[in-house]
Amino acid sequence: EDESLSEVIEWSIANFLGLLKSHAGEPCASSGATEKSKRGKRRHDEVGILRSADRVDDPSTFTHWPQVRRLAAIFWEETYLLLCSPVADGMLELVLRHISTPEALSWLWPLRVTRSKLLQHATMVWAAAPTQNVRLLSFLFLRNCAAMVMQAVDANDAMPQ
């Protein structure tokens, strides 16, 4: 029973982001993505992910982003809960390895609150994990997040919030 659950979690972690991308549609033609705030005013996209050929796509520019955003938020919240729960080091390694990719981080980037929680927890895991592999993969997650911030700074010539 535990083995089956582990296999389902492993499959979900490995394949869910690809499923999100396939259901998100095509990137919009406009390069300057804007979104409508609650007050009805338009504001510039704060995601800050570069949209060039050598960088990952900004998921918020996909045509079906409003529909897929909630699924992405659920995925990242559940991933956070999985990282916070006492699981085997092998499962932590698998989760950290899959969420540390630039493509995975691009789906996390628009979710500011969840991103902040994951960064704080990854910092704690990096400092206190019992095994070297988990600490290393946690550091990889943090380093790739820092690279995303640096890309945003290069693209916007201003620090993202």
Side-chain angles (χ1 to χ4, degrees):
E1 186 175 298
D2 287 339
E3 184 67 30
S4 298
L5 181 61
S6 292
E7 289 180 20
V8 168
I9 291 172
E10 289 176 16
W11 184 90
S12 298
I13 293 291
N15 297 303
F16 193 75
L17 294 170
L19 292 172
L20 280 177
K21 187 169 185 175
S22 68
H23 290 287
E26 296 294 321
C28 292
S30 64
S31 60
T34 61
E35 63 182 37
K36 210 167 198 171
S37 68
K38 292 179 183 175
R39 296 183 188 148
K41 297 178 183 176
R42 299 190 73 74
R43 63 182 175 88
H44 275 61
D45 183 17
E46 296 176 358
V47 176
I49 299 172
L50 294 180
R51 293 170 190 86
S52 64
D54 59 335
R55 311 288 179 153
V56 295
D57 287 327
D58 177 0
S60 66
T61 63
F62 287 112
T63 55
H64 299 295
W65 172 246
Q67 294 88 355
V68 177
R69 179 184 174 91
R70 188 65 202 140
L71 291 174
I74 290 169
F75 170 78
W76 285 108
E77 284 293 330
E78 293 300 320
T79 301
Y80 172 74
L81 291 174
L82 183 62
L83 288 174
C84 291
S85 64
V87 294
D89 286 342
M91 180 64 76
L92 280 176
E93 289 176 25
L94 176 94
V95 171
L96 287 167
R97 184 174 293 114
H98 283 287
I99 68 171
S100 296
T101 64
E103 293 80 17
L105 290 174
S106 71
W107 287 92
L108 172 64
W109 221 248
L111 311 170
R112 182 182 297 176
V113 173
T114 307
R115 180 179 69 210
S116 176
K117 289 186 334 187
L118 274 165
L119 282 168
Q120 289 175 351
H121 188 72
T123 303
M124 187 184 72
V125 169
W126 178 42
T131 64
Q132 181 68 23
N133 285 343
V134 173
R135 283 194 304 266
L136 182 64
L137 288 168
S138 183
F139 177 77
L140 175 68
F141 176 79
L142 294 169
R143 183 193 75 69
N144 287 348
C145 284
M148 295 288 281
V149 170
M150 295 308 295
Q151 288 177 6
V153 169
D154 290 343
N156 298 332
D157 292 328
M159 271 303 233
Q161 299 177 3

